[in-house]
Protein backbone atom coordinates (compact mmCIF):
# COMPACT_ATOMS: atom_id res chain seq x y z
CA UNK A 1 0.00 0.00 0.00
CA UNK A 2 1.03 3.66 -0.31
CA UNK A 3 -1.48 5.29 2.04
CA UNK A 4 0.40 6.66 5.05
CA UNK A 5 3.83 5.92 3.55
CA UNK A 6 6.22 8.03 1.48
CA UNK A 7 9.89 7.37 0.68
CA UNK A 8 10.04 4.77 3.44
CA UNK A 9 8.66 7.13 6.07
CA UNK A 10 5.29 7.06 7.80
CA UNK A 11 2.92 9.93 7.07
CA UNK A 12 0.34 11.07 9.66
CA UNK A 13 -3.28 10.14 8.91
CA UNK A 14 -5.68 12.98 9.77
CA UNK A 15 -8.96 11.12 9.33
CA UNK A 16 -10.45 8.25 7.40
CA UNK A 17 -13.40 5.97 7.03
CA UNK A 18 -14.23 2.57 5.62
CA UNK A 19 -17.55 1.11 4.51
CA UNK A 20 -18.16 -2.53 3.65
CA UNK A 21 -21.38 -4.39 3.12
CA UNK A 22 -23.43 -6.78 1.06
CA UNK A 23 -26.82 -6.42 -0.62
CA UNK A 24 -28.12 -9.52 -2.35
CA UNK A 25 -25.57 -10.61 -4.93
CA UNK A 26 -23.53 -7.40 -4.55
CA UNK A 27 -20.53 -6.80 -2.26
CA UNK A 28 -19.49 -3.17 -1.76
CA UNK A 29 -16.45 -1.58 -0.17
CA UNK A 30 -15.24 2.02 0.04
CA UNK A 31 -12.34 3.82 1.74
CA UNK A 32 -11.57 7.53 2.09
CA UNK A 33 -8.46 8.68 3.97
CA UNK A 34 -6.88 12.11 4.40
CA UNK A 35 -3.19 12.33 5.28
CA UNK A 36 -1.27 15.33 6.59
CA UNK A 37 1.76 17.01 5.03
CA UNK A 38 5.21 15.72 5.94
CA UNK A 39 8.04 17.79 4.48
CA UNK A 40 10.87 15.39 5.34
CA UNK A 41 9.16 12.66 3.32
CA UNK A 42 8.25 14.97 0.44
CA UNK A 43 4.57 14.21 1.03
CA UNK A 44 1.90 16.92 0.66
CA UNK A 45 -1.48 16.66 2.31
CA UNK A 46 -3.29 14.03 0.23
CA UNK A 47 -6.72 12.47 -0.10
CA UNK A 48 -7.01 8.77 -1.01
CA UNK A 49 -10.24 7.17 -2.21
CA UNK A 50 -11.03 3.56 -3.13
CA UNK A 51 -14.32 1.99 -4.31
CA UNK A 52 -14.85 -1.73 -4.94
CA UNK A 53 -18.07 -3.39 -6.21
CA UNK A 54 -18.44 -7.11 -6.90
CA UNK A 55 -21.44 -9.12 -8.09
CA UNK A 56 -21.85 -12.88 -7.72
CA UNK A 57 -23.07 -14.64 -10.86
CA UNK A 58 -23.83 -18.26 -11.75
CA UNK A 59 -22.91 -20.74 -8.98
CA UNK A 60 -19.24 -20.02 -8.28
CA UNK A 61 -18.42 -16.94 -10.31
CA UNK A 62 -18.22 -13.17 -9.93
CA UNK A 63 -17.52 -9.96 -11.81
CA UNK A 64 -16.38 -6.68 -10.30
CA UNK A 65 -14.83 -3.25 -10.67
CA UNK A 66 -12.33 -1.17 -8.69
CA UNK A 67 -11.57 2.56 -8.84
CA UNK A 68 -8.97 4.57 -6.91
CA UNK A 69 -8.02 8.23 -6.75
CA UNK A 70 -5.03 10.00 -5.18
CA UNK A 71 -5.43 13.76 -4.93
CA UNK A 72 -2.57 15.73 -3.35
CA UNK A 73 -3.14 19.32 -2.27
CA UNK A 74 -1.36 22.20 -3.92
CA UNK A 75 0.28 21.77 -7.31
CA UNK A 76 0.54 17.96 -7.15
CA UNK A 77 -0.90 15.91 -9.98
CA UNK A 78 -3.90 13.79 -9.09
CA UNK A 79 -3.86 10.19 -10.32
CA UNK A 80 -6.62 7.68 -10.90
CA UNK A 81 -6.81 3.97 -11.57
CA UNK A 82 -9.67 1.75 -12.59
CA UNK A 83 -10.24 -1.81 -13.59
CA UNK A 84 -12.66 -4.68 -14.06
CA UNK A 85 -12.19 -8.32 -13.15
CA UNK A 86 -13.99 -11.62 -13.55
CA UNK A 87 -13.68 -15.02 -11.89
CA UNK A 88 -15.46 -18.08 -13.26
CA UNK A 89 -15.64 -21.56 -11.76
CA UNK A 90 -17.20 -24.41 -13.76
CA UNK A 91 -17.83 -27.94 -12.52
CA UNK A 92 -15.16 -28.91 -9.96
CA UNK A 93 -11.97 -28.53 -11.94
CA UNK A 94 -12.25 -25.60 -14.35
CA UNK A 95 -11.29 -22.04 -13.35
CA UNK A 96 -11.02 -18.98 -15.59
CA UNK A 97 -10.20 -15.50 -14.32
CA UNK A 98 -8.71 -12.24 -15.45
CA UNK A 99 -8.65 -8.47 -15.15
CA UNK A 100 -8.13 -5.32 -17.16
CA UNK A 101 -6.84 -2.16 -15.45
CA UNK A 102 -5.56 1.25 -16.46
CA UNK A 103 -3.96 4.16 -14.63
CA UNK A 104 -3.87 7.82 -15.57
CA UNK A 105 -0.78 8.95 -17.47
CA UNK A 106 2.01 10.40 -15.32
CA UNK A 107 4.41 13.11 -16.56
CA UNK A 108 7.92 11.74 -17.01
CA UNK A 109 6.74 8.11 -17.05
CA UNK A 110 6.46 7.02 -20.69
CA UNK A 111 5.00 3.70 -21.75
CA UNK A 112 1.63 2.01 -21.72
CA UNK A 113 -0.47 2.57 -18.61
CA UNK A 114 -2.48 -0.65 -19.02
CA UNK A 115 -2.29 -3.98 -17.24
CA UNK A 116 -4.25 -7.16 -17.86
CA UNK A 117 -4.18 -10.84 -16.98
CA UNK A 118 -5.93 -13.90 -18.40
CA UNK A 119 -5.68 -17.26 -16.63
CA UNK A 120 -7.33 -20.63 -17.27
CA UNK A 121 -6.85 -23.91 -15.40
CA UNK A 122 -8.12 -27.48 -15.54
CA UNK A 123 -7.11 -29.30 -12.34
CA UNK A 124 -8.44 -32.84 -12.78
CA UNK A 125 -6.98 -35.78 -10.88
CA UNK A 126 -5.55 -37.52 -13.98
CA UNK A 127 -4.87 -34.51 -16.21
CA UNK A 128 -3.96 -30.91 -15.47
CA UNK A 129 -3.46 -27.92 -17.71
CA UNK A 130 -3.00 -24.21 -17.00
CA UNK A 131 -2.12 -21.16 -19.02
CA UNK A 132 -1.59 -17.49 -18.21
CA UNK A 133 -0.77 -14.26 -20.00
CA UNK A 134 0.07 -11.17 -17.93
CA UNK A 135 0.98 -7.64 -19.04
CA UNK A 136 2.03 -4.69 -16.89
CA UNK A 137 2.89 -1.62 -18.95
CA UNK A 138 5.88 0.60 -18.24
CA UNK A 139 3.58 3.49 -17.32
CA UNK A 140 1.19 1.49 -15.13
CA UNK A 141 1.37 3.42 -11.83
CA UNK A 142 -1.33 2.63 -9.24
CA UNK A 143 -0.56 5.48 -6.85
CA UNK A 144 -2.90 4.18 -4.14
CA UNK A 145 -1.87 0.54 -4.43
CA UNK A 146 1.41 -1.17 -5.12
CA UNK A 147 2.96 -3.00 -8.06
CA UNK A 148 6.24 -4.87 -7.63
CA UNK A 149 7.39 -4.71 -11.24
CA UNK A 150 6.40 -2.92 -14.46
CA UNK A 151 7.26 -3.06 -18.18
CA UNK A 152 6.93 -6.80 -18.79
CA UNK A 153 4.63 -9.42 -20.24
CA UNK A 154 4.63 -13.06 -19.10
CA UNK A 155 3.29 -16.12 -20.88
CA UNK A 156 3.04 -19.36 -18.92
CA UNK A 157 1.91 -22.86 -19.86
CA UNK A 158 1.98 -26.02 -17.75
CA UNK A 159 0.66 -29.54 -18.39
CA UNK A 160 0.36 -32.59 -16.12
CA UNK A 161 -0.40 -36.30 -16.53
CA UNK A 162 -0.87 -38.13 -13.22
CA UNK A 163 -2.44 -41.59 -13.46
CA UNK A 164 -3.14 -43.62 -10.33
CA UNK A 165 -1.86 -47.18 -10.09
CA UNK A 166 -4.77 -49.43 -9.15
CA UNK A 167 -2.94 -52.75 -8.65
CA UNK A 168 0.28 -51.65 -6.94
CA UNK A 169 0.50 -51.96 -3.16
CA UNK A 170 3.53 -49.66 -3.10
CA UNK A 171 2.91 -46.86 -5.60
CA UNK A 172 -0.17 -44.65 -5.37
CA UNK A 173 0.36 -42.32 -8.34
CA UNK A 174 2.86 -41.36 -11.05
CA UNK A 175 3.12 -37.72 -12.11
CA UNK A 176 4.67 -36.30 -15.28
CA UNK A 177 4.66 -32.50 -15.46
CA UNK A 178 6.20 -29.91 -17.74
CA UNK A 179 6.00 -26.16 -18.14
CA UNK A 180 7.37 -23.10 -19.87
CA UNK A 181 7.64 -19.48 -18.69
CA UNK A 182 8.43 -16.74 -21.19
CA UNK A 183 8.98 -13.15 -20.01
CA UNK A 184 9.76 -10.17 -22.22
CA UNK A 185 9.44 -6.42 -21.96
CA UNK A 186 6.02 -4.92 -22.64
CA UNK A 187 6.99 -3.80 -26.16
CA UNK A 188 8.22 -7.31 -27.05
CA UNK A 189 11.70 -6.12 -28.02
CA UNK A 190 13.77 -7.90 -25.34
CA UNK A 191 13.50 -11.37 -23.82
CA UNK A 192 14.06 -11.11 -20.07
CA UNK A 193 13.51 -14.68 -18.82
CA UNK A 194 12.85 -18.02 -20.44
CA UNK A 195 12.38 -21.10 -18.24
CA UNK A 196 11.72 -24.69 -19.27
CA UNK A 197 10.93 -27.24 -16.57
CA UNK A 198 10.06 -30.91 -16.31
CA UNK A 199 9.30 -33.16 -13.37
CA UNK A 200 8.59 -36.84 -12.69
CA UNK A 201 7.14 -37.77 -9.29
CA UNK A 202 6.43 -41.13 -7.68
CA UNK A 203 3.87 -40.97 -4.85
CA UNK A 204 3.82 -43.98 -2.53
CA UNK A 205 0.91 -45.28 -0.52
CA UNK A 206 2.97 -44.63 2.63
CA UNK A 207 2.89 -40.89 1.89
CA UNK A 208 6.53 -40.74 0.80
CA UNK A 209 7.39 -39.12 -2.49
CA UNK A 210 10.34 -39.23 -4.88
CA UNK A 211 10.91 -36.61 -7.55
CA UNK A 212 13.21 -36.05 -10.48
CA UNK A 213 13.29 -32.49 -11.86
CA UNK A 214 14.84 -30.70 -14.81
CA UNK A 215 15.08 -26.95 -15.36
CA UNK A 216 16.70 -24.83 -18.03
CA UNK A 217 16.75 -21.07 -17.50
CA UNK A 218 17.78 -18.09 -19.57
CA UNK A 219 18.28 -14.64 -18.05
CA UNK A 220 19.00 -11.53 -20.09
Amino acid sequence: RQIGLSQGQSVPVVAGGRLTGRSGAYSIGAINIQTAEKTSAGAPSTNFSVVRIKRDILRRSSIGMLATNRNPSGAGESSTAGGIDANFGFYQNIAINGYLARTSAQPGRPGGSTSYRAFAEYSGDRYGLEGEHLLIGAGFTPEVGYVRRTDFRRSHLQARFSPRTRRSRLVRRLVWQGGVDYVEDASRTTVQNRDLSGEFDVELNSGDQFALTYQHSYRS
Side-chain angles (χ1 to χ4, degrees), residues 1-13 31 33 35 48 50 70 142-148:
R1 66 179 174 87
Q2 298 194 42
I3 301 176
L5 296 173
S6 179
Q7 299 183 17
Q9 300 184 39
S10 62
V11 177
V13 174
I31 296 175
I33 294 177
T35 61
F48 297 87
V50 181
R70 177 181 180 272
E143 296 287 350
V144 175
Y146 174 76
V147 61
R148 181 176 297 178

Side-chain angles (χ1 to χ4, degrees), residues 75-182:
E77 293 285 343
S78 64
S79 59
T80 60
I84 56 175
D85 64 275
N87 295 276
F88 298 98
F90 301 106
Y91 305 103
Q92 293 183 344
N93 303 316
I94 299 177
I96 301 173
N97 60 68
Y99 74 83
L100 172 64
R102 186 177 180 86
T103 61
S104 58
Q106 296 293 309
R109 295 184 181 180
S113 57
T114 298
S115 175
Y116 62 77
R117 177 180 185 260
F119 175 84
E121 177 185 33
Y122 174 75
S123 56
D125 183 70
R126 188 177 179 86
Y127 301 99
L129 182 66
E130 68 177 47
E132 178 194 37
H133 185 71
L134 169 67
L135 166 72
I136 301 181
F140 184 75
T141 53
E143 296 287 350
V144 175
Y146 174 76
V147 61
R148 181 176 297 178
R149 179 182 176 187
T150 62
D151 190 21
F152 78 96
R153 62 174 69 234
R154 174 180 182 252
S155 298
H156 165 76
L157 182 65
Q158 181 173 286
R160 170 178 53 82
F161 175 55
S162 52
R164 294 185 179 272
T165 55
R166 298 182 178 179
R167 298 182 179 180
S168 175
R169 295 183 178 181
L170 178 64
V171 179
R172 176 190 302 165
R173 187 167 70 159
L174 302 175
V175 181
W176 288 268
Q177 185 169 273
V180 57
D181 270 307
Y182 189 80

Side-chain angles (χ1 to χ4, degrees), residues 22-28 52-58 60-65 85-88:
R22 186 177 183 88
S23 177
Y26 290 90
S27 298
I28 302 171
R52 165 69 169 167
I53 300 175
K54 185 180 75 170
R55 189 187 193 283
D56 296 331
I57 58 175
L58 305 176
R60 298 188 298 115
S61 306
S62 66
I63 56 176
M65 61 81 64
D85 64 275
N87 295 276
F88 298 98

